[in-house]
Amino acid sequence: MEETHNNRTSLVRGAKDIAKEAKRQAAKNFSKAVDRASDEYSSQRSYNRFQNEDEEENNYNSYTQQDGLYADNATNEEDGASSDATEGHDDEDEIYEGEYQGVPGYNDGKPRDGQVALGQPVSDSLKSRKELENERQADEEELAQQYELIMQECGHGRFQWQLFFVLGLALMSDGVEVFVVGFVLPSAETDMCVPNSGAGWLGSIVYLGMMFGAFFWGGLSDKVGRRQCLLISMSVNGFFAFLSSFVQGYSMFLFCRMVSGFGIGGAVPIVFSYFAEVLAREKRGEHLSWLCMFWMIGGIYASAMAWAIIPHYGWSFSMGSAYQFHSWRVFVVVCALPCVSAVVALTFMPESPRFYLEMGKHDEAWMVLKHIHDTNMRARGEPERVFTVNRIKIPKQLDELVEMQNESSIFMVAMNKIHQNLFLLYQIWLTFMKCFNHPVKENTMKLAAVWFTLSFGYYGLSVWFPDVIKHLQADEYASRVKIHNNERIEDFTFNFTLENQIHRNGVFVNDRLNLKTAVTFIDSSFLNCYFEDVSSVGSLFRNCTFVDSFFYNTDIDDTKLTNSRVINSSFHHNKTGCQMTFDDDYSAYWVYFVNFLGTLAVLPGNIVSALLMDKIGRLSMLGGSMVLSGISCFFLWFGTSESMMIFMLCLYNGLSISAWNSLDVVTTELYPTDRRGTGFGFCNAMCKLAAVLGNLIFGSLVGITKAIPILLASSVLVGGGLVGLRLPDTRANVLM
């Protein structure tokens, strides 16, 4: 009996083992089918903190428990799990390569080889282009919601502040580039002997370079990445800015500054797009506004360096008469330092994770997001916090670059590269055209109008204000001129400075002149005079006669001798090239100081806009700031003195800066990720085009009338502000 009982027990135990193994295999096959189906379904739905995966796992466990027939089911399942882990690798199982690095696997919705995709009855190749675009639009909407949750989980901390200062250096370089043009223009044109017909080209050519650069680099950043494009564009700017300080010819100098402007043109559209994509919604408006302060810092830096360097003409050296390196060239080198610093700092920053997701690079995006999370958590003193994101939605990829197959020769490799570059330019153009498609077409037109009007008024008045101040200074200077008539001076040595004087019908006999002059001689005679080491910048000899005179090491040439006669006189070792102005040039100090004050005046507006951006709204700040700026222009009627004009300049800059900050934020938030850089670049290109037109139009009205500049600036600013109020509110938007 005992032996029979033992046999029966062994039989029951064997039956249980067989049943357990059969059930384990069935559950394993069923699990694979469910996983495949869920993977297919997961690529079509939104991932809200990935909570649904736990519910699916619980439902599956309850199903297997209901199907069990043994009382020791829990023990058997645990045994089965352990045996399953140690069992040999199944050919159908695939281990995702990134799992060894902690990167979760991502299934893009495509079936594996030899398998049928569940839940995907129609292949992408059978769908129309419009259907695929609609699917991508739906994917982007789901990704926008999920990405906002991910950024909230990553938090706002050390990583964002590190990127804030790095991108701030790039934005500072843009501000420096704008101010460098105005500061070096007079000195560069004087040093390089630029005729009046070529004067003013420097300001226009730099803005034209920035206009094309904004469009090109902004569009390219949507295709190859924010960080990479910004790194290349800043490198171009730094190299050619540095090179421009050494070239001697004006045409070569123009070329270097134009290419330098082309490089820096990508800073504004890329910087704001880049930084916005690592900010959560509740932080975006405020911190993008704080970022705008670096443009002001760039203007203050340029003004301070110009004030400290350019008037010191002794800070120069020369190599013969062919190569001159004056103080304004030192200023150009110093102004390239923020750009160089930005390039170095950018090499340590990652690419935008939002761009990676847009390009379908799930692994790279996940690694960057984990880096952001871990950096912020360590800074908070919570290094144990785990990044809980498993999978991130990837939009459907539509455009693929098809490479040429035959790469066996160097010629074919070169042709393939040309093909890729041309296709890339074509993609940039297509992305630009998408900015004029529904639903962003109307917003693009409104944004372009607001950017154009704000820039036209700002840059136009920025040129007009300093020129009006100079005009007032010139009027005051002319009112203090001393006039000498019919004087006769014999055997006298002039070893001092003559300035702001007019000598008519004078006779100078046997005199020795060793001086610096800014004097006009009219109908005067110089008999047996000796001119040595004379600097005659600003001097003019009109209808004068030189008899038996000797000129040694002077800068007096035909350009300063108008309708004059030189009889039996000789010139030796004349100074070549154009001569800079006086060492103690008070007017230079004054111009730089005025710009310094005007730039510093935007500080209160920057602080107010940053603190109130999310409270009163972008549109209210944009429209209100532009309208108030337009109204403030009418006070220019009362600007009859230098001090009054400086006050009006500071008031205008302080009121308009809030419009610039809110416009940057609105433009960043209105465009979806796949065309954010392109759209922002186009708007910034319109800004630079308006700057060129503003410089030309307002500059031509200086000294003629006040009415036209005031009415023109007021009308465009108020009109642009009213258009800005018609833009959609983006305060509650997630980044599409």
Side-chain angles (χ1 to χ4, degrees), residues 454 457-458 461 465 621-636 648 651-660 710 713-718:
L454 180 59
Y458 178 82
L461 289 178
F465 271 122
M621 185 170 293
L622 173 62
S625 177
M626 292 187 68
V627 171
L628 289 177
S629 299
I631 295 175
S632 69
C633 292
F634 285 101
F635 290 98
L636 295 174
M648 297 308 306
L651 177 63
Y652 173 76
N653 287 348
L655 290 174
S656 62
I657 191 61
S658 297
W660 284 108
I710 291 174
S714 299
S715 58
V716 297
L717 288 171
V718 173

Side-chain angles (χ1 to χ4, degrees), residues 676-695:
R676 182 172 297 119
T678 304
F680 206 132
F682 167 70
C683 292
N684 199 250
M686 296 299 296
C687 167
K688 297 305 184 288
L689 176 62
V692 174
L693 297 178
N695 286 340

Side-chain angles (χ1 to χ4, degrees), residues 178 181-182 185 200-208 455-464 466-467 687-702:
V178 171
V181 175
L185 186 60
W201 269 104
L202 179 58
S204 300
I205 204 72
V206 171
Y207 283 123
L208 287 175
S455 178
F456 184 81
Y458 178 82
Y459 286 103
L461 289 178
S462 296
V463 172
W464 190 70
D467 285 345
C687 167
K688 297 305 184 288
L689 176 62
V692 174
L693 297 178
N695 286 340
L696 296 176
I697 294 175
F698 282 81
S700 63
L701 298 174
V702 175

Side-chain angles (χ1 to χ4, degrees), residues 185-410:
L185 186 60
S187 300
E189 291 179 343
T190 301
D191 190 20
M192 297 179 180
C193 306
V194 179
N196 292 332
S197 59
W201 269 104
L202 179 58
S204 300
I205 204 72
V206 171
Y207 283 123
L208 287 175
M210 296 174 75
M211 179 183 71
F212 289 106
F215 180 79
F216 175 77
W217 295 113
L220 192 64
S221 69
D222 285 332
K223 297 302 176 184
V224 303
R226 318 296 193 207
R227 173 185 172 274
Q228 184 175 352
C229 274
L230 186 59
L231 196 60
I232 298 174
S233 66
M234 296 300 294
S235 299
V236 170
N237 170 250
F239 175 78
F240 281 94
F242 185 78
L243 182 63
S244 67
S245 66
F246 295 95
V247 299
Q248 294 295 298
Y250 189 61
S251 58
M252 191 63 184
F253 181 77
L254 282 178
F255 173 77
C256 289
R257 296 313 302 186
M258 181 187 68
V259 180
S260 174
F262 177 79
I264 200 61
V268 172
I270 299 177
V271 161
F272 285 100
S273 300
Y274 192 174
F275 194 50
E277 291 169 358
V278 296
L279 294 173
R281 178 174 52 195
E282 64 272 9
K283 299 286 185 181
R284 197 162 55 234
E286 177 184 354
H287 288 270
L288 286 176
S289 298
W290 288 122
L291 185 65
C292 295
M293 290 188 66
F294 280 94
W295 199 92
M296 174 203 69
I297 296 173
I300 293 176
Y301 174 82
S303 302
M305 292 299 101
W307 191 13
I309 296 175
I310 294 181
H312 295 282
Y313 303 116
W315 296 9
S316 62
F317 65 89
S318 61
M319 298 179 183
S321 61
Y323 189 86
Q324 305 287 331
F325 195 91
H326 292 291
S327 57
W328 68 268
R329 298 179 182 272
V330 179
F331 168 71
V332 172
V333 173
V334 172
C335 286
L337 295 180
C339 178
V340 175
S341 302
V343 171
V344 174
L346 272 171
T347 58
F348 298 96
M349 303 308 298
E351 180 58 83
S352 166
R354 188 68 175 83
F355 170 78
Y356 274 147
L357 293 173
E358 197 68 27
M359 295 294 105
K361 298 180 179 181
H362 177 272
D363 295 1
E364 293 86 345
W366 190 91
M367 292 295 290
V368 174
L369 290 170
K370 185 178 186 301
H371 170 68
I372 296 174
H373 175 274
D374 294 346
T375 301
N376 292 339
M377 293 305 110
R378 283 194 300 269
R380 293 182 184 179
E382 302 176 5
E384 69 279 359
R385 289 279 295 272
V386 179
F387 186 52
T388 61
V389 176
N390 294 326
R391 294 174 183 168
I392 309 175
K393 186 70 178 179
I394 298 295
K396 184 179 292 295
Q397 303 301 303
L398 301 180
D399 297 325
E400 295 182 359
L401 178 59
V402 180
E403 297 186 1
M404 300 175 67
Q405 298 297 323
N406 188 0
E407 296 186 0
S408 58
S409 64
I410 298 178

